[in-house]
């Protein structure tokens, strides 16, 4: 019994030490006493702040409710930064706070305020149990707050794009041709599957890599090469590249290392959500996030650990513009482009999406 108690205590101590530190003006651990400072000041530095006292109270209450297996699961998720966070850590709500908020504040986002800022990831099974709360901080994603109006760096004028600089779903087509041509996901020769709700293509700069990946499950992980990961491995696509073998540019090789756990695309009741699981931000352009009155595309930055509703199923028309009698704009209004770690736009050296080292394009079925 004593041995099990010691093991449990060790797990709890490791979890407490692994918590995210606050800024210096609100540190969770007592600061070191400055040499020559009065003893009363030294005593004050060792007095827990109200925030720390509340968190200690929560910690004690939480750890008492978790069995050894749950403590190990929680520690494994925290230690691996979410790389090994498959299992839920479910508890019933207690005390005066939301356990999920405090856990995410302790181990991920010290500045988190309310539960409204959080959203369960598709991997969380506890979300289906209304009387339980998941305390695994990596089963939560932080909602990305869209700036309205967005900052200038996120806008880029469509008329400035040359045809060779456009992604395939942005190509122009003849006004007399009603068929969509150059769509990345169909290439004009693939039959739709009623069970598929989207297809994903991986791009490196202006070259598509590997085959198209059809998605017929509610959610799909898109990652580089995660051990035991299920979904679309971009590393695997590069091994079956259909173009002649050649060494990728250095910028591509560097950016591949930043994809990591990548993202999750999830089809939900209110649209399609993208959850950023990597350690780097991702940049999104979607027809449903564009301003219908603007002559510019918008690119939104989604930080690590955040999520964004990238497609509501109600795009703002087909975003068509006319130039010399030729319609210019996305061929498919249901196409979404996501770049890993690198943004693009007028304030970047990368003016177009095809200048981004690694990115994906998602073609969604016509909104239902």
């Amino acid at each position: 019994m004593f041995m099990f108690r010691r093991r449990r205590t060790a797990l709890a101590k490791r979890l407490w030490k692994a918590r995210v530190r606050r800024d210096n003006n609100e540190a969770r651990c007592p600061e070191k006493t400055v040499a020559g400072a009065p003893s009363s000041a030294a005593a004050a530095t060792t007095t827990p702040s109200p925030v720390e006292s509340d968190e200690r109270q929560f910690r004690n209450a939480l750890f008492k409710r978790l069995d050894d297996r749950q403590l190990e699961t929680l520690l494994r998720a925290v230690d691996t930064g979410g790389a090994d966070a498959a299992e839920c850590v479910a508890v019933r709500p207690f005390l005066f706070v939301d356990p999920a908020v405090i856990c995410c504040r302790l181990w991920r986002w010290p500045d988190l305020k309310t539960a409204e800022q959080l959203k369960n990831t598709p991997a969380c099974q506890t979300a289906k149990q209304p009387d339980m709360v998941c305390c695994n901080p990596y089963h939560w994603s932080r909602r990305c707050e869209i700036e309205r109006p967005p900052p200038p760096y996120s806008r880029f004028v469509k008329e400035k794009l040359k045809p060779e600089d456009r992604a395939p779903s942005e190509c122009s087509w003849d006004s007399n041709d009603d068929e969509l041509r150059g769509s990345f996901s169909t290439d004009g020769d693939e039959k739709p599957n009623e069970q598929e709700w989207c297809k994903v293509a991986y791009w490196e700069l202006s070259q598509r890599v590997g085959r198209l990946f059809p998605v017929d499950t509610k959610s799909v992980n898109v990652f580089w090469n995660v051990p035991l990961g299920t979904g679309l491995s971009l590393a695997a696509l590069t091994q079956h590249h259909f173009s002649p073998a050649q060494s990728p540019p250095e910028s591509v090789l560097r950016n591949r290392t930043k994809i990591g756990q990548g993202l999750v695309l999830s089809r939900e009741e209110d649209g399609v959500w993208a959850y950023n699981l990597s350690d780097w931000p991702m940049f999104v352009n979607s027809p449903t996030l564009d301003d219908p009155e603007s002559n510019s595309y918008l690119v939104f930055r989604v930080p690590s650990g955040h999520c964004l509703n990238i497609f509501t199923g109600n795009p703002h028309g087909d975003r068509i513009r006319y130039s010399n009698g030729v319609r210019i704009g996305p061929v498919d209004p249901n196409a979404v482009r996501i770049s890993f770690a690198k943004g693009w736009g007028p304030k970047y050296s990368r003016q177009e999406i095809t200048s981004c080292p690694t990115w994906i394009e998602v073609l969604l079925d016509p909104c239902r």
Side-chain angles (χ1 to χ4, degrees):
M1 178 68 70
F2 180 68
M3 179 173 29
F4 289 112
R5 185 174 300 175
R6 285 184 58 184
R7 179 168 171 272
R8 183 178 180 82
T9 301
L11 290 171
K13 285 183 177 180
R14 287 179 61 188
L15 276 167
W16 187 243
K17 287 181 66 176
R19 69 196 188 282
V20 177
R21 308 291 176 171
R22 293 183 184 273
D23 294 333
N24 291 334
N25 61 349
E26 195 181 355
R28 287 202 175 102
C29 289
E31 298 178 357
K32 294 182 179 180
T33 305
V34 178
S39 58
S40 59
T45 60
T46 59
T47 303
S49 66
V51 173
E52 186 180 12
S53 297
D54 289 344
E55 289 174 350
R56 288 181 182 274
Q57 180 184 1
F58 169 81
R59 173 200 65 179
N60 295 335
L62 173 65
F63 289 173
K64 287 180 180 178
R65 285 166 171 77
L66 300 181
D67 57 34
D68 289 359
R69 185 171 179 275
Q70 288 178 307
L71 284 173
E72 290 177 346
T73 298
L74 182 57
L75 179 61
R76 190 164 56 248
V78 172
D79 276 350
T80 62
D84 188 356
E87 296 183 45
C88 289
V89 181
V91 298
R92 295 186 182 279
F94 61 93
L95 294 179
F96 52 89
V97 294
D98 189 322
V101 173
I102 301 298
C103 285
C104 289
R105 191 183 296 164
L106 282 172
W107 291 297
R108 294 200 73 181
W109 304 293
D111 62 335
L112 187 68
K113 299 274 191 277
T114 66
E116 285 69 31
Q117 294 176 278
L118 295 174
K119 181 175 172 58
N120 287 98
T121 66
C124 185
Q125 298 301 312
T126 308
K128 303 174 183 178
Q129 307 174 40
D131 59 334
M132 303 293 284
V133 177
C134 184
C135 290
N136 185 336
Y138 289 93
H139 276 198
W140 294 92
S141 186
R142 193 164 176 174
R143 294 176 183 267
C144 188
E145 298 178 3
I146 296 180
E147 299 177 74
R148 296 289 189 190
Y153 70 79
S154 69
R155 293 179 176 270
F156 59 100
V157 181
K158 292 193 288 292
E159 280 71 9
K160 290 184 178 181
L161 299 181
K162 301 176 182 177
E164 60 268 23
D165 291 332
R166 294 176 180 270
S169 66
E170 295 177 337
C171 295
S172 61
W173 69 96
D174 191 325
S175 58
N176 295 324
D177 187 356
D178 293 331
E179 294 183 357
L180 304 182
R181 297 187 303 173
S183 172
F184 87 91
S185 68
T186 62
D187 290 336
D189 59 1
E190 294 187 10
K191 298 180 180 180
N193 185 331
E194 294 181 358
Q195 295 182 344
E196 297 171 7
W197 61 271
C198 80
K199 286 187 173 118
V200 180
Y202 174 53
W203 294 79
E204 292 181 344
L205 298 174
S206 60
Q207 187 174 35
R208 202 186 85 189
V209 178
R211 63 183 179 85
L212 298 164
F213 187 83
V215 179
D216 56 10
T217 55
K218 185 178 179 181
S219 63
V220 61
N221 299 325
V222 181
F223 52 90
W224 180 246
N225 188 20
V226 178
L228 304 180
T230 57
L232 172 57
S233 169
L234 301 181
L237 290 183
T238 62
Q239 297 173 6
H240 300 85
H241 203 328
F242 58 83
S243 65
Q246 58 182 356
S247 178
E250 186 63 28
S251 62
V252 171
L253 294 176
R254 285 197 306 268
N255 219 63
R256 285 177 176 180
T257 65
K258 298 179 180 179
I259 297 175
Q261 298 180 61
L263 59 91
V264 174
L265 296 172
S266 177
R267 185 183 185 184
E268 303 178 15
E269 292 182 358
D270 56 348
V272 177
W273 285 77
Y275 298 81
N276 186 1
L277 305 185
S278 75
D279 295 330
W280 298 81
M282 64 185 187
F283 296 82
V284 178
N285 168 242
S286 168
T288 62
L289 297 177
D290 278 341
D291 181 357
E293 304 301 325
S294 173
N295 201 32
S296 303
Y297 288 140
L298 300 180
V299 180
F300 294 91
R301 182 180 186 273
V302 182
S304 172
H306 287 59
C307 61
L308 179 66
N309 189 337
I310 62 172
F311 196 87
T312 62
N314 184 29
H316 300 298
D318 52 11
R319 308 286 291 157
I320 293 176
R321 297 289 185 270
Y322 286 87
S323 178
N324 297 324
V326 178
R327 294 182 293 182
I328 298 177
V331 169
D332 194 324
N334 300 320
V336 178
R337 288 159 287 279
I338 304 176
S339 174
F340 296 101
K342 301 296 183 181
W344 76 98
K347 299 298 182 181
Y348 288 90
S349 60
R350 298 167 297 278
Q351 295 288 298
E352 329 300 349
I353 180 66
T354 50
S355 298
C356 294
T358 57
W359 56 284
I360 63 172
E361 195 167 20
V362 185
L363 181 71
L364 297 149
D365 279 348
C367 43
R368 304 191 237 284

